[in-house]
Amino acid sequence: MRTVLMVAEKPSLAQSISKILSKGNCTSRKGLNGACSVHEYTGSFQGQSVRFKMTSVCGHVMSLDFIGKGCDYVVLWLDCDKEGENICFEVLDAIQPVMNKSSGREKSVYRAKFSSITDTDIWNAMNRLGEPNRNEALSVDARQELDLRIGCAFTRFQTKYFQGKYGNLDSSLISFGPCQTPTLGFCVERHDKIQSFKPETYWVIQAKVFKGKESPLTLDWNRVRVFDREVGQMFVNLAKTSREAQVESVSKKEKAKQRPQALNTVEMLRVASSALGMGPQHTMQIAERLYTQGYISYPRTETTQYPENFDLKGTLKQQANSPFWAEEVKTLLSAGINRPRKGTDAGDHPPITPMRAASEGELGSDGWRLYEYITRHFIATVSQDCKYLQTTIDFNIGGESFSCSGKTLISPGYTAVMPWQGIPLEEAMPVCERGDAFTVDEIKLVEKQTNPPDYLTEAELITLMEKHGIGTDASIPVHINNICQRNYVTVENGRKLKPTNLGIVLVHGYYKIDAELVLPTIRSAVEKQLNLIALGKANFQQVLQHALDIFKRKFHYFVDSITSMDELMEVSFSPIAATGKPLSRCGKCHRFMKYIQAKPSRLHCSHCDETYSLPQNGAIKLYKELRCPLDDFELVLWTSGARGKSYPLCPYCFSNPPFRDMKKGMGCNECTHPSCQHSLNSLGIGQCVECDSGVLVLDPTSGPKWRMACNKCNVVVHFFEHAHRVQVAQDSCDACDASLVAVDFNKTRSPLPAGETQHTGCVFCDQIFQDLVELKHATMRHPMHRGRGRRGNPKKPKDKMAALAAYFV
């Protein structure tokens, strides 16, 4: 029997698809990597009985562990966008060398195209299999290579150039990206407009009139405003010559507020930010979850027009029993749905729609809010337009023209399901006709000022990015998230994006050196070329080389002109020598070095003009004024907090490893110095009970709540609480080679018999010690550094260690 291998993009998708195609009759087992399961069943394929095996990748293929047992056919169920096409060929590169050879011209590779995880869509895809699109995959390859090479070159250079110069430059990575930087540019451009804005004073005439006992009516001046007070006063004086306001005309006009077009990704992101208060990255994560669970269609699409064969009525019927919009849905089904507005067919996926009914309990808070909006939007697209009557009354007061207008709802149409877009209730307009006279209640000149624009909201930024072709519907959230994560902008109330000092200086610096690095024009042009690759109208290698040549020249010019940006940095940030607080002594000049907390945290000796790296994401303090025996630098102590772990380190050795078996970024708990009292050789106890390469090292600062911690992973072992002293002995355990530990217990709390207080033994094997040991996982804020020492290679005591590990769990 032949075998058909089917590959999806996520484990959850593989499970859902195999369940639909096997009609629930598949067996499942864990794959080799433990993350991607394999679902197997027997069925029919191309007119023959076959064995189906469904599995998945986890995003892009980064490593290969495909066991070459062979298969006859492969069906690719990757996401149906350009990224998905790219992953198709990554999968094929891994499996084609070990596939069974097909006979003659028999086709062995198939591509499934689908837009939702429903029985109908999945079976339609299975019955209409096509081929993966090589051109779309190549366009993604080109984009990835361009972004990586350009981003790495600029990022590495400017990070290295500026990091060691300014102490309060709060960024551990000063990144550049062909899309990220123009995105930041939009935010800084708005900031500059706000800063350069000069308010202007202007004047308006405010008039109030009434008729009989009706409440006063406030009129709008037809000249709107004047910027000269004397001119404004002249018009006021003219108007005041009359005590009556004559009705010049009364017009009534029926108007319509159009229902929305079908929903695409960009509009969903805009509304989620402005109306739901959800960031673009978070919104896409939720949308992808709703999609994989079968609640909505594929959430990445540029299309705003339903296909001709789209089952609008069937999709609407699924919502007929919802307590939130059942009445509107049933009315539409009985009266007949309205033809949706014509939109744009981008040739990718259908618009985003609900695929089945749901409740808040099923989806959770944010999931429900996004699903509710998507569903209401869909219902609105097949509803009638909102209709209202607009009444406008024109007045003449002393020769000056004024007017007022009001809206009266005729039929709510689509706003019944999207009430936030409804016509607000207004006070009814007075009944009058041409020639009627109203009494003037008040006429006065009001002084006002023009206001600056506000900071860009995420929704406005998304609109600008779409307009200028910066990023795709899939990558726009990533670029916005990057400029937030890199400390270039902060998200203020109302999801407004306010540039930081660093973000402003970078953009202004790019403008001084080469404005095209930050303007959207060059990236927009590159995106057009990439789209031509996807359409098969441009050569991959030519487009790639042309873009790289342009940016190569720009990079060299940027490097030569970096002092222009540095001049702006000097104004905005303090020199490293003038930053920080004295902490520990330099081993070269014996003067105090300053501790700079701003990321990346580091020590700086202003006398020697040297900067020394430190571990990040923790607290640094002086370690008992003790010195490194190799270089005479005072040791410092890094700690991740009371529930975390801590270790001493020499600032010089941390950046300049003293021994061949050490690497940069190692503390004393990984130092292989043979005799230093702080080194791994002196404080290492035994191999970690969880990871293979780590060593459990005594934390000499942890008393009276003593602990040892792995110098690789986040395992922390608490032991001998309230003991006076814990020391690592020179002798080793006969059973497991771990170092023995000498403990001096508190007399009142000693677990030893006959009131004894001192005992030396193995924490893994000693019966007295075993009940005093407790394993925990440290609260870590950074990945631990790697290394190996002499005590890093004790043999694991097979039975004792297994028993201890089981006890810990």
Side-chain angles (χ1 to χ4, degrees):
M1 184 181 289
R2 290 190 161 190
T3 301
V4 178
L5 175 65
M6 303 198 294
V7 185
E9 193 153 319
K10 299 179 183 71
S12 56
L13 282 176
Q15 182 179 12
S16 299
I17 294 169
S18 58
K19 188 175 180 181
I20 291 170
L21 294 176
S22 69
K23 298 178 181 177
N25 296 319
C26 62
T27 60
S28 301
R29 58 181 170 83
K30 281 289 182 186
L32 290 173
N33 63 5
C36 303
S37 296
V38 180
H39 312 279
E40 299 182 57
Y41 65 97
T42 303
S44 176
F45 183 78
Q46 305 294 325
Q48 56 186 312
S49 182
V50 296
R51 184 73 178 167
F52 287 100
K53 292 187 177 185
M54 182 81 177
T55 187
S56 67
V57 294
C58 295
H60 281 278
V61 178
M62 298 300 179
S63 61
L64 307 178
D65 56 2
F66 186 75
I67 303 300
K69 291 185 178 178
C71 61
D72 300 283
Y73 307 99
V74 60
V75 181
L76 300 159
W77 290 85
L78 285 309
D79 284 353
C80 299
D81 56 12
K82 291 173 185 174
E83 291 284 339
E85 296 303 317
N86 188 260
I87 300 173
C88 281
F89 287 94
E90 290 176 349
V91 170
L92 291 176
D93 287 342
I95 66 175
Q96 275 187 320
V98 291
M99 285 180 66
N100 297 327
K101 301 297 180 185
S102 57
S103 56
R105 295 185 177 181
E106 187 182 17
K107 188 176 173 182
S108 60
V109 176
Y110 297 87
R111 175 73 162 109
K113 294 278 189 177
F114 58 102
S115 295
S116 63
I117 312 302
T118 60
D119 290 18
T120 302
D121 216 14
I122 295 302
W123 274 110
N124 283 342
M126 190 65 180
N127 293 328
R128 300 170 186 169
L129 295 173
E131 296 180 5
N133 190 317
R134 170 72 71 176
N135 291 327
E136 289 189 356
L138 285 173
S139 73
V140 174
D141 284 338
R143 178 182 286 107
Q144 288 175 344
E145 185 169 345
L146 285 173
D147 289 351
L148 181 65
R149 293 177 68 170
I150 296 166
C152 281
F154 280 88
T155 297
R156 185 186 297 117
F157 172 71
Q158 63 188 26
T159 299
K160 293 289 185 184
Y161 186 88
F162 289 117
Q163 237 175 31
K165 296 192 71 173
Y166 302 100
N168 58 343
L169 184 56
D170 187 12
S171 181
S172 54
L173 181 70
I174 307 175
S175 63
F176 174 94
C179 286
Q180 173 198 128
T181 303
T183 302
L184 174 62
F186 291 130
C187 300
V188 175
E189 181 184 20
R190 177 62 64 88
H191 167 84
D192 291 342
K193 286 180 180 178
I194 295 169
Q195 296 302 307
S196 62
F197 181 82
K198 293 181 180 178
E200 284 188 86
T201 303
Y202 65 92
W203 288 264
V204 300
I205 296 178
Q206 184 175 294
K208 288 185 179 180
V209 299
F210 66 92
K211 184 180 181 184
K213 294 183 179 180
E214 293 177 356
S215 56
L217 201 61
T218 301
L219 309 182
D220 298 317
W221 188 27
N222 285 11
R223 294 184 193 272
V224 184
R225 61 185 179 178
V226 293
F227 288 89
D228 188 311
R229 190 183 188 286
E230 290 184 1
V231 174
Q233 189 60 52
M234 178 192 73
F235 287 124
V236 169
N237 293 339
L238 284 172
K240 281 185 174 180
T241 60
S242 175
R243 294 208 169 230
E244 288 189 341
Q246 295 291 327
V247 176
E248 295 282 298
S249 66
V250 179
S251 64
K252 294 178 185 283
K253 193 173 184 180
E254 186 176 309
K255 291 191 171 184
K257 191 173 184 180
Q258 278 194 314
R259 62 202 179 282
Q261 289 182 326
L263 184 64
N264 66 2
T265 306
V266 169
E267 181 63 15
M268 178 184 71
L269 295 176
R270 272 196 289 253
V271 173
S273 176
S274 60
L276 305 181
M278 291 160 49
Q281 186 91 332
H282 181 53
T283 300
M284 284 310 300
Q285 289 170 351
I286 293 170
E288 286 170 5
R289 175 168 60 83
L290 293 176
Y291 161 67
T292 57
Q293 291 174 343
Y295 290 104
I296 65 171
S297 61
Y298 192 64
R300 291 194 179 104
T301 178
E302 297 175 12
T303 295
T304 57
Q305 181 172 307
Y306 297 116
E308 287 296 324
N309 61 349
F310 191 87
D311 187 6
L312 295 169
K313 201 167 186 178
T315 305
L316 194 61
K317 278 181 179 178
Q318 294 175 340
Q319 304 295 331
N321 295 319
S322 168
F324 300 98
W325 39 75
E327 186 179 336
E328 289 81 4
V329 169
K330 287 174 182 175
T331 301
L332 279 172
L333 289 170
S334 61
I337 61 176
N338 191 20
R339 185 177 179 84
R341 283 174 58 195
K342 187 175 176 63
T344 301
D345 183 1
D348 49 358
H349 285 271
I352 305 167
T353 59
M355 298 311 299
R356 59 186 172 105
S359 65
E360 185 172 0
E362 294 174 67
L363 306 182
S365 175
D366 284 351
W368 167 253
R369 291 197 300 140
L370 186 60
Y371 172 84
E372 180 186 13
Y373 167 69
I374 291 169
T375 305
R376 288 184 181 275
H377 189 107
F378 166 72
I379 298 169
T381 62
V382 294
S383 299
Q384 298 292 327
D385 291 344
C386 171
K387 294 178 180 176
Y388 62 93
L389 185 69
Q390 180 161 304
T391 303
T392 303
I393 306 173
D394 292 316
F395 291 89
N396 185 295
I397 308 175
E400 279 304 294
S401 298
F402 297 84
S403 64
C404 67
S405 61
K407 297 171 183 174
T408 306
L409 185 66
I410 297 173
S411 67
Y414 80 92
T415 62
V417 286
M418 297 178 81
W420 61 90
Q421 291 193 17
I423 303 299
L425 289 173
E426 296 178 353
E427 196 170 316
M429 297 290 287
V431 177
C432 60
E433 57 185 30
R434 178 180 161 85
D436 284 358
F438 282 63
T439 303
V440 176
D441 182 46
E442 176 187 61
I443 290 183
K444 64 180 180 180
L445 194 64
V446 179
E447 182 180 305
K448 295 186 176 184
Q449 279 194 327
T450 55
N451 294 317
D454 211 337
Y455 284 104
L456 280 180
T457 62
E458 281 176 334
E460 291 169 333
L461 178 58
I462 290 166
T463 301
L464 284 171
M465 294 174 73
E466 181 191 34
K467 177 184 175 182
H468 292 281
I470 300 300
T472 63
D473 53 0
S475 66
I476 282 174
V478 177
H479 303 316
I480 296 176
N481 187 61
N482 280 343
I483 64 173
C484 296
Q485 294 294 319
R486 304 283 156 77
N487 192 36
Y488 296 159
V489 300
T490 57
V491 182
E492 306 290 315
N493 287 338
R495 309 291 310 175
K496 293 186 179 74
L497 300 170
K498 185 177 181 180
T500 62
N501 209 15
L502 175 58
I504 295 165
V505 170
L506 283 174
V507 169
H508 289 175
Y510 295 135
Y511 270 116
K512 282 187 74 174
I513 298 171
D514 181 356
E516 284 191 337
L517 292 176
V518 73
L519 289 172
T521 47
I522 193 165
R523 181 60 190 197
S524 180
V526 169
E527 285 289 347
K528 288 175 183 174
Q529 292 296 312
L530 294 175
N531 285 333
L532 290 176
I533 294 175
L535 295 171
K537 296 179 179 179
N539 180 272
F540 163 80
Q541 202 60 48
Q542 288 177 350
V543 170
L544 180 65
Q545 197 57 52
H546 178 66
L548 287 175
D549 287 344
I550 291 172
F551 275 96
K552 185 178 181 180
R553 290 194 292 270
K554 288 184 175 296
F555 175 71
H556 287 307
Y557 183 73
F558 180 74
V559 170
D560 293 339
S561 310
I562 192 64
T563 51
S564 296
M565 184 180 282
D566 198 18
E567 289 168 1
L568 298 177
M569 289 282 189
E570 285 177 354
V571 176
S572 302
F573 299 102
S574 303
I576 196 166
T579 312
K581 297 179 180 178
L583 179 69
S584 64
R585 291 186 184 273
C586 171
K588 297 178 180 179
C589 67
H590 302 290
R591 289 178 171 86
F592 276 105
M593 297 188 293
K594 286 185 175 181
Y595 172 46
I596 299 163
Q597 284 185 286
K599 291 183 180 180
S601 57
R602 53 214 188 271
L603 285 167
H604 178 73
C605 177
S606 55
H607 183 266
C608 302
D609 195 22
E610 293 281 353
T611 303
Y612 301 97
S613 300
L614 292 172
Q616 302 299 304
N617 302 315
I620 293 284
K621 57 185 178 181
L622 191 62
Y623 185 54
K624 304 178 184 177
E625 297 185 356
L626 298 171
R627 294 178 181 267
C628 175
L630 294 173
D631 48 49
D632 212 28
F633 274 72
E634 280 189 334
L635 302 182
V636 294
L637 184 74
W638 178 89
T639 176
S640 64
R643 296 176 60 192
K645 53 198 289 187
S646 57
Y647 58 85
L649 64 109
C650 165
Y652 187 82
C653 294
F654 192 78
S655 299
N656 304 278
F659 303 110
R660 287 184 179 179
D661 55 357
M662 290 180 65
K663 298 176 183 177
K664 282 187 177 182
M666 289 187 173
C668 297
N669 63 343
E670 295 184 85
C671 177
T672 53
H673 191 289
S675 59
C676 176
Q677 60 176 320
H678 318 293
S679 71
L680 173 65
N681 276 14
S682 299
L683 297 177
I685 294 175
Q687 189 167 343
C688 178
V689 295
E690 287 200 4
C691 70
D692 292 329
S693 57
V695 179
L696 293 168
V697 183
L698 175 67
D699 181 352
T701 68
S702 58
K705 296 184 177 181
W706 298 95
R707 64 192 177 200
M708 57 180 175
C710 178
N711 60 5
K712 296 291 192 297
C713 69
N714 66 342
V715 164
V716 174
V717 178
H718 293 258
F719 51 15
F720 316 132
E721 189 169 356
H722 302 299
H724 286 311
R725 185 171 64 254
V726 176
Q727 292 179 310
V728 181
Q730 291 296 313
D731 299 326
S732 300
C733 174
D734 294 333
C736 68
D737 275 358
S739 295
L740 301 183
V741 176
V743 184
D744 185 358
F745 290 100
N746 186 314
K747 188 179 292 185
T748 61
R749 302 189 182 189
S750 175
L752 302 177
E756 293 183 21
T757 59
Q758 296 184 346
H759 183 74
T760 300
C762 175
V763 294
F764 304 114
C765 307
D766 192 289
Q767 292 298 321
I768 295 175
F769 281 172
Q770 276 195 6
D771 291 337
L772 305 175
V773 176
E774 178 186 7
L775 178 142
K776 290 185 179 179
H777 291 83
T779 304
M780 297 305 297
R781 289 182 284 176
H782 85 304
M784 291 306 295
H785 306 286
R786 300 287 174 183
R788 182 178 294 276
R790 181 173 63 85
R791 291 193 190 233
N793 299 299
K795 64 184 181 185
K796 276 192 179 179
K798 294 176 184 175
D799 299 330
K800 298 274 187 179
M801 182 64 77
L804 182 60
Y807 170 75
F808 288 152
V809 174

